[in-house]
Amino acid sequence: MSETAHISDQFALAPPHTAHEAPFVSHPDPATARQVEINAPVRNLQMLELQIAGGASEVYVAHRSPAGVSFDALPGRRDGDPTQISNPRLLKSIIKQAHDAGLRVHLAADAPAIPADLREAYLAHVVQGIDAGADSVMVACLPAARQVRDAHPAIPLTAASGMGVTTTAFARHLRDTYRIGRIVTPHAAGLDEIAAFCRLDGIEVEVPVQTGSGADCHSCRLPDQRGAGLGCRAGYQDDNDSAATRDLGGFLDGASDCALCDIPSLAALGVKALQIPGRESPIVRQNAKITQMYRRALNGIEKGWSTRQTIEDIDRIELTWQMGWVPRMCEQQRCRFRDTPRRRAHV
C-alpha cells in the first residue's frame, strides 16, 4: 500500500466532530501557531533535556515535600517511578537550566485539598519552589489559591485541572477573586466550550492533550490500588491467578486521547498552551516524543500546511507514527475532539 493510501485510510478512520464543535473547526493564520506554548512535564534533568529537544516551551514540575505527603496531584511514586523532583538542590538546578533555555517553569502545588494541620507545611513547600525560581504556581482548590495569593501576591497562579473549571462563570470568579491568570480546562471540554473560555479577558487557556481523564479529573480516587492502576485509564486485571490476567478494555476510560488533527482549531480559538501529560511516565524518551509530535503539528501551521500535509510529513519521518500512533490512536478512534463511542462514555 502506498504512503498516500495510508494517509487516506487514517483520515477515513477519523469520525466527524460533534454538531456543537463543528462550527469551531478552522485553520489559523500561520503566525498564530507561534503564540501557542507546549507545557511539558519534568521530574529530572534528563527529562528536561529531552523535552527541550522535543520542542517544549514551558515545563511543569513538582518536588518532594519534607512533610512526607504529596502537595500536588500525584503521589510521590506511581508504579515504582517517581513523579517528583527529589531534593531542593536538583529543583533549583532544573529550573535554572529551563530558564537558560528560555522556558517558563510552573510549580505543581495542585493537591485537591489541604488539611488545616498541613497549611503551614504546604506554604513552606510552595516557598521552596518559588525560591528555587518557579515562575508560577498551579493550585487545585480554593483554600490553596487564597493561601498562596495572600502569601505571594505577585506570583502568577494557574487553576490546574483538578480545580474543575467547567464554566466560564467559575473562571471569571477565579480571575476576579483570586487573580488567577490561567486555567487548565477539564479533559471533557469540547471545542465549543474551549472557545467560550478563550473569549474571556485576562485569562489564558491551557488544554490537556494526549491523555484521558474522564469528565471529572482526579475525582475517582482509584489510583494506586494494587492491581488496579489509574481509575480513568484502568484495564482491570485479575490478581488471583496471574496466568489468567487479562485486560478488561479500560472500561472506566471514558476519554479520548489524540488531538493532533485539531491543533489548528485550538490555535485559531486562541488557546495559550497545550499541556502534555506524564510526570509519572516510565519512559521519558517516549514522553518527549509526544511533545515532539505536537511541536510538529504547530510547525505545520507555521508553514501554512494543511493538517493532511502535516500528517504526511510526520508519516514520512517518524517511525513512531506507523508503528505506534496509528494502531493505538487512529485505528482505535482515540480522537480527542471527535464524536467517538469512547468519548460518549465520559463519566
Side-chain angles (χ1 to χ4, degrees):
M1 184 179 292
S2 69
E3 178 180 291
T4 303
H6 276 299
I7 297 298
S8 299
D9 287 347
Q10 289 156 31
F11 273 85
L13 289 172
H17 292 88
T18 67
H20 291 294
E21 291 175 314
F24 299 95
V25 176
S26 59
H27 205 89
D29 180 89
T32 303
R34 288 194 290 273
Q35 302 171 18
V36 181
E37 311 287 353
I38 296 183
N39 189 12
V42 164
R43 67 169 184 265
N44 55 41
L45 283 168
Q46 181 195 22
M47 201 169 187
L48 173 64
E49 292 164 358
L50 288 168
Q51 294 291 3
I52 292 172
S57 53
E58 302 180 350
V59 295
Y60 60 98
V61 300
H63 65 291
R64 188 176 301 166
S65 166
V69 296
S70 176
F71 284 130
D72 58 82
L74 296 176
R77 300 186 74 85
R78 170 156 288 163
D79 297 329
D81 292 297
T83 67
Q84 300 165 341
I85 296 169
S86 58
N87 62 75
R89 182 179 297 178
L90 180 58
L91 174 68
K92 190 170 185 177
S93 177
I94 286 173
I95 292 176
K96 182 183 184 302
Q97 188 163 320
H99 285 165
D100 288 346
L103 276 64
R104 188 181 182 193
V105 180
H106 306 279
L107 176 71
D110 52 335
I114 307 296
D117 61 340
L118 289 175
R119 286 177 185 171
E120 292 304 317
Y122 173 76
L123 287 174
H125 180 75
V126 171
V127 166
Q128 193 174 68
I130 293 173
D131 288 348
D135 300 292
S136 74
V137 176
M138 301 159 57
V139 295
C141 60
L142 294 180
R146 172 63 69 193
Q147 292 158 26
V148 177
R149 172 55 62 229
D150 288 348
H152 307 280
I155 195 77
L157 295 184
T158 294
S161 58
M163 184 73 83
V165 186
T166 56
T167 68
T168 55
F170 188 22
R172 289 195 299 271
H173 175 66
L174 294 172
R175 177 196 64 193
D176 298 342
T177 305
Y178 301 90
R179 299 201 306 278
I180 284 176
R182 179 184 287 196
I183 63 167
V184 180
T185 59
H187 189 274
L191 291 177
D192 52 332
E193 295 163 316
I194 291 169
F197 286 123
C198 288
R199 288 194 293 267
L200 296 175
D201 292 330
I203 295 181
E204 297 177 348
V205 177
E206 182 172 325
V207 176
V209 294
Q210 208 63 27
T211 186
S213 298
D216 195 358
C217 189
H218 305 304
S219 67
C220 70
R221 305 300 178 217
L222 287 175
D224 304 299
Q225 295 185 24
R226 182 176 175 81
L230 287 173
C232 58
R233 309 293 292 166
Y236 277 75
Q237 298 178 337
D238 180 3
D239 276 349
N240 294 325
D241 182 359
S242 59
T245 295
R246 59 195 180 96
D247 183 355
L248 300 183
F251 69 93
L252 286 182
D253 184 2
S256 304
D257 291 324
C258 179
L260 278 179
C261 291
D262 288 297
I263 295 305
S265 295
L266 293 175
L269 291 175
V271 164
K272 178 61 177 177
L274 308 176
Q275 185 189 97
I276 307 296
R279 273 197 293 123
E280 75 283 13
S281 178
I283 307 174
V284 294
R285 289 186 180 278
Q286 182 174 318
N287 188 263
K289 177 60 70 174
I290 294 172
T291 299
Q292 186 181 54
M293 297 290 255
Y294 282 91
R295 175 54 64 194
R296 291 196 186 285
L298 289 172
N299 288 347
I301 298 172
E302 282 198 65
K303 295 173 183 177
W305 290 353
S306 67
T307 302
R308 182 181 293 271
Q309 287 175 289
T310 297
I311 298 301
E312 287 175 347
D313 185 63
I314 290 173
D315 182 69
R316 183 173 63 253
I317 63 178
E318 290 284 358
L319 181 63
T320 302
W321 180 253
Q322 288 293 345
M323 297 294 291
W325 208 285
V326 170
R328 183 170 180 262
M329 302 295 172
C330 307
E331 293 177 3
Q332 299 299 317
Q333 291 198 336
R334 300 195 68 96
C335 304
R336 171 75 167 80
F337 294 104
R338 305 299 174 106
D339 188 16
T340 68
R342 193 177 293 268
R343 191 177 181 196
R344 293 183 215 130
H346 274 140
V347 293

